[in-house]
PDB file of all heavy atoms in Angstrom:
ATOM      1  N   ILE A1147      11.375   7.262  -7.437  1.00 93.00           N
ATOM      2  CA  ILE A1147      11.863   8.614  -7.564  1.00 93.00           C
ATOM      3  C   ILE A1147      11.188   9.263  -8.749  1.00 93.00           C
ATOM      4  O   ILE A1147      11.201   8.765  -9.834  1.00 93.00           O
ATOM      5  CB  ILE A1147      13.391   8.697  -7.745  1.00 93.00           C
ATOM      6  CG1 ILE A1147      14.116   7.903  -6.680  1.00 93.00           C
ATOM      7  CG2 ILE A1147      13.984  10.087  -7.973  1.00 93.00           C
ATOM      8  CD1 ILE A1147      13.906   8.561  -5.297  1.00 93.00           C
ATOM      9  N   PRO A1148      10.580  10.476  -8.565  1.00 93.00           N
ATOM     10  CA  PRO A1148       9.773  11.132  -9.609  1.00 93.00           C
ATOM     11  C   PRO A1148      10.902  11.717 -10.608  1.00 93.00           C
ATOM     12  O   PRO A1148      12.013  11.999 -10.243  1.00 93.00           O
ATOM     13  CB  PRO A1148       8.995  12.262  -9.088  1.00 93.00           C
ATOM     14  CG  PRO A1148       9.548  12.473  -7.666  1.00 93.00           C
ATOM     15  CD  PRO A1148      10.300  11.120  -7.217  1.00 93.00           C
ATOM     16  N   ILE A1168      16.701  14.491  15.765  1.00 97.00           N
ATOM     17  CA  ILE A1168      16.811  13.583  14.582  1.00 97.00           C
ATOM     18  C   ILE A1168      18.168  12.780  14.699  1.00 97.00           C
ATOM     19  O   ILE A1168      19.371  13.373  14.676  1.00 97.00           O
ATOM     20  CB  ILE A1168      16.853  14.429  13.286  1.00 97.00           C
ATOM     21  CG1 ILE A1168      15.560  15.171  13.060  1.00 97.00           C
ATOM     22  CG2 ILE A1168      17.098  13.460  12.052  1.00 97.00           C
ATOM     23  CD1 ILE A1168      15.514  16.202  11.898  1.00 97.00           C
ATOM     24  N   ILE A1214      20.231  -0.623   8.062  1.00 90.00           N
ATOM     25  CA  ILE A1214      20.603  -1.693   9.031  1.00 90.00           C
ATOM     26  C   ILE A1214      21.314  -1.110  10.245  1.00 90.00           C
ATOM     27  O   ILE A1214      22.243  -0.333  10.111  1.00 90.00           O
ATOM     28  CB  ILE A1214      21.608  -2.748   8.521  1.00 90.00           C
ATOM     29  CG1 ILE A1214      20.962  -3.257   7.123  1.00 90.00           C
ATOM     30  CG2 ILE A1214      21.827  -3.860   9.460  1.00 90.00           C
ATOM     31  CD1 ILE A1214      21.969  -4.212   6.364  1.00 90.00           C
ATOM     32  N   GLY A1219      26.749   2.125  13.701  1.00 96.00           N
ATOM     33  CA  GLY A1219      25.997   3.297  13.111  1.00 96.00           C
ATOM     34  C   GLY A1219      24.911   2.607  12.158  1.00 96.00           C
ATOM     35  O   GLY A1219      24.405   1.453  12.480  1.00 96.00           O
ATOM     36  N   THR A1231      27.979   4.172   5.622  1.00 96.00           N
ATOM     37  CA  THR A1231      27.464   3.990   7.073  1.00 96.00           C
ATOM     38  C   THR A1231      27.714   5.251   7.843  1.00 96.00           C
ATOM     39  O   THR A1231      28.847   5.780   7.682  1.00 96.00           O
ATOM     40  CB  THR A1231      28.477   2.841   7.641  1.00 96.00           C
ATOM     41  OG1 THR A1231      28.299   1.657   6.975  1.00 96.00           O
ATOM     42  CG2 THR A1231      28.262   2.658   9.113  1.00 96.00           C
ATOM     43  N   SER A1251       7.922   8.928  -3.808  1.00 91.00           N
ATOM     44  CA  SER A1251       6.728   8.127  -3.634  1.00 91.00           C
ATOM     45  C   SER A1251       7.054   6.869  -2.837  1.00 91.00           C
ATOM     46  O   SER A1251       8.067   6.129  -3.530  1.00 91.00           O
ATOM     47  CB  SER A1251       6.090   7.763  -4.992  1.00 91.00           C
ATOM     48  OG  SER A1251       5.028   6.877  -4.899  1.00 91.00           O
ATOM     49  N   ILE A1252       6.469   6.542  -1.848  1.00 88.00           N
ATOM     50  CA  ILE A1252       6.857   5.351  -0.993  1.00 88.00           C
ATOM     51  C   ILE A1252       5.707   4.310  -1.037  1.00 88.00           C
ATOM     52  O   ILE A1252       4.533   4.656  -0.807  1.00 88.00           O
ATOM     53  CB  ILE A1252       7.002   5.727   0.450  1.00 88.00           C
ATOM     54  CG1 ILE A1252       8.239   6.826   0.608  1.00 88.00           C
ATOM     55  CG2 ILE A1252       7.399   4.559   1.293  1.00 88.00           C
ATOM     56  CD1 ILE A1252       9.525   6.238  -0.031  1.00 88.00           C
ATOM     57  N   ILE A1309      10.442 -23.155  -2.898  1.00 94.00           N
ATOM     58  CA  ILE A1309      11.555 -22.800  -1.960  1.00 94.00           C
ATOM     59  C   ILE A1309      12.117 -24.069  -1.492  1.00 94.00           C
ATOM     60  O   ILE A1309      11.351 -24.841  -0.688  1.00 94.00           O
ATOM     61  CB  ILE A1309      11.023 -21.828  -0.813  1.00 94.00           C
ATOM     62  CG1 ILE A1309      10.441 -20.484  -1.517  1.00 94.00           C
ATOM     63  CG2 ILE A1309      12.091 -21.565   0.155  1.00 94.00           C
ATOM     64  CD1 ILE A1309       9.642 -19.764  -0.441  1.00 94.00           C
ATOM     65  N   SER A1350      -5.018 -23.913   6.457  1.00 61.00           N
ATOM     66  CA  SER A1350      -6.240 -23.181   6.698  1.00 61.00           C
ATOM     67  C   SER A1350      -6.315 -21.952   5.741  1.00 61.00           C
ATOM     68  O   SER A1350      -7.481 -21.427   5.586  1.00 61.00           O
ATOM     69  CB  SER A1350      -6.302 -22.742   8.075  1.00 61.00           C
ATOM     70  OG  SER A1350      -5.189 -22.004   8.587  1.00 61.00           O
ATOM     71  N   GLN A1381      11.983 -30.381  16.123  1.00 94.00           N
ATOM     72  CA  GLN A1381      11.180 -31.421  15.522  1.00 94.00           C
ATOM     73  C   GLN A1381      10.586 -31.045  14.178  1.00 94.00           C
ATOM     74  O   GLN A1381      10.196 -31.883  13.439  1.00 94.00           O
ATOM     75  CB  GLN A1381       9.849 -31.800  16.456  1.00 94.00           C
ATOM     76  CG  GLN A1381      10.212 -32.687  17.590  1.00 94.00           C
ATOM     77  CD  GLN A1381      10.815 -31.805  18.810  1.00 94.00           C
ATOM     78  OE1 GLN A1381      10.357 -30.774  18.949  1.00 94.00           O
ATOM     79  NE2 GLN A1381      11.747 -32.318  19.514  1.00 94.00           N
TER      80      GLN A1381
END
Side-chain angles (χ1 to χ4, degrees):
I1147 302 296
I1168 301 171
I1214 305 171
T1231 297
S1251 174
I1252 299 298
I1309 299 170
S1350 59
Q1381 285 83 35

